[in-house]
Amino acid sequence: RLQQYMQQESAAIANIDANGLGAGVFDRIHQLWKQRQLRSPHDLKLPSNPINTANATKARDKSGQLMFNRLRDYLWWRMRELLEDDAIDLPPDDDLTRDLIMPKWTTTASGKVVIESKDEIRKRLGRSPDLGDAVVMAFSPDTPPYKPAIGFL
């Protein structure tokens, strides 16, 4: 399904959430290319980039001042910066807009930014902010500068 979706959308790479359900998808892609003795998932025509948002990060905000508790916090903050700078155009979609403006943030005792949990966002939003998560991960800085095709499988 992923390969079909990528061809249909002319997507160059799939950013796959390597936490939870997405971990199984990435593991299957990895298993397939190893079985076929290919050099990488790109040779399988399923170029993919695993993103484990629970990982720690040394990334800083664009000013170089703020640090982040984990990758998820940085990716959401980075999306905020991209939108503030008009660096990206997103489709007019009320659900996406709500997903992206809903998260609140705090700081840890050491001063690192923490974006509120998906469960907390879900409570206030009344649904899961999956579309916002997909957009945030599509614009991960570790992704080559391709036009992202955003979707769910």
Side-chain angles (χ1 to χ4, degrees):
R1 289 182 63 198
L2 177 60
Q3 191 171 38
Q4 182 180 31
Y5 180 81
M6 290 178 69
Q7 288 171 349
Q8 176 185 332
E9 297 295 326
S10 300
I13 194 164
N15 282 349
I16 298 174
D17 185 354
N19 305 28
L21 295 175
V25 173
F26 187 76
D27 288 347
R28 180 65 178 139
I29 291 169
H30 190 264
Q31 180 185 44
L32 285 172
W33 70 262
K34 282 207 165 224
Q35 283 175 349
R36 296 180 188 176
Q37 298 181 345
L38 301 171
R39 289 183 310 234
S40 79
H42 297 268
D43 295 335
L44 186 62
K45 305 296 185 226
L46 281 170
S48 51
N49 181 34
I51 300 177
N52 187 336
T53 58
N55 285 347
T57 182
K58 293 184 181 195
R60 292 182 180 254
D61 74 324
K62 69 181 179 182
S63 74
Q65 301 294 312
L66 296 176
M67 297 185 314
F68 302 89
N69 197 44
R70 58 197 171 131
L71 183 59
R72 178 183 181 273
D73 306 315
Y74 170 66
L75 293 178
W76 274 89
W77 193 273
R78 184 172 182 277
M79 176 56 60
R80 172 187 171 159
E81 291 176 335
L82 290 170
L83 292 169
E84 284 177 347
D85 294 345
D86 288 325
I88 57 173
D89 290 321
L90 296 176
D93 181 290
D94 291 340
D95 286 339
L96 173 59
T97 300
R98 278 190 287 277
D99 286 6
L100 293 174
I101 65 171
M102 189 60 66
K104 295 180 181 181
W105 63 278
T106 60
T107 56
T108 64
S110 63
K112 291 183 178 182
V113 171
V114 177
I115 303 297
E116 76 177 314
S117 74
K118 194 170 183 175
D119 286 340
E120 290 300 315
I121 297 169
R122 187 181 294 120
K123 286 178 193 174
R124 292 188 303 106
L125 190 58
R127 61 176 174 74
S128 184
D130 290 333
L131 190 55
D133 276 343
V135 170
V136 166
M137 288 206 310
F139 286 92
S140 170
D142 293 333
T143 304
Y146 302 120
K147 176 186 170 218
I150 300 164
F152 302 101
L153 296 179

